[in-house]
């Protein structure tokens, strides 16, 4: 095997290795993007749920206050 054949073989081997590395990187990159997008969607869903819980807590506190006022008024009426 001459030096020229060896150089030619090395060139094709390097090209094959680079192609394999490129395929692996693109697959990993796609998976990374999918995971990143999923994480972003989960964070948005968590934010929406947190906001809904806060709204419900506020409404519940408002209802409790109304019930307390009604009870207070009933107590006053019953005292008379």
């Amino acid at each position: 095997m001459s030096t020229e054949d060896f150089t030619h073989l090395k060139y094709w081997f390097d090209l094959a290795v680079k192609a394999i590395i490129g395929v692996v990187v693109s697959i990993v990159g796609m998976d990374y993007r999918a995971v990143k997008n999923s994480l972003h969607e989960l964070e948005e869903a968590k934010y929406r749920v947190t906001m809904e819980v806060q709204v419900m807590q506020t409404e519940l506190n408002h209802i409790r206050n109304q019930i307390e006022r009604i009870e207070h008024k009933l107590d006053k009426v019953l005292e008379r």
Side-chain angles (χ1 to χ4, degrees):
M1 191 181 258
S2 69
T3 307
E4 187 177 312
D5 292 338
F6 182 72
T7 305
H8 191 66
L9 183 64
K10 183 181 172 192
Y11 169 77
W12 284 108
F13 180 73
D14 285 345
L15 191 60
V17 168
K18 288 178 183 178
I20 291 171
I21 290 172
V23 168
V24 169
V25 166
S26 67
I27 290 172
V28 170
M30 282 185 223
D31 289 343
Y32 173 75
R33 272 184 247 122
V35 169
K36 185 178 174 183
N37 290 339
S38 304
L39 181 61
H40 182 67
E41 290 171 4
L42 286 173
E43 287 174 349
E44 286 178 351
K46 177 185 168 189
Y47 177 77
R48 281 193 305 272
V49 168
T50 303
M51 288 293 111
E52 289 176 11
V53 167
Q54 287 179 351
V55 167
M56 287 180 187
Q57 286 176 339
T58 303
E59 290 174 351
L60 184 60
N61 285 335
H62 179 70
I63 292 170
R64 283 183 185 153
N65 289 337
Q66 285 180 334
I67 290 173
E68 287 177 6
R69 279 184 264 153
I70 291 171
E71 287 176 345
H72 185 68
K73 287 179 182 179
L74 284 174
D75 286 343
K76 279 187 175 181
V77 168
L78 290 174
E79 287 177 1
R80 289 183 187 175

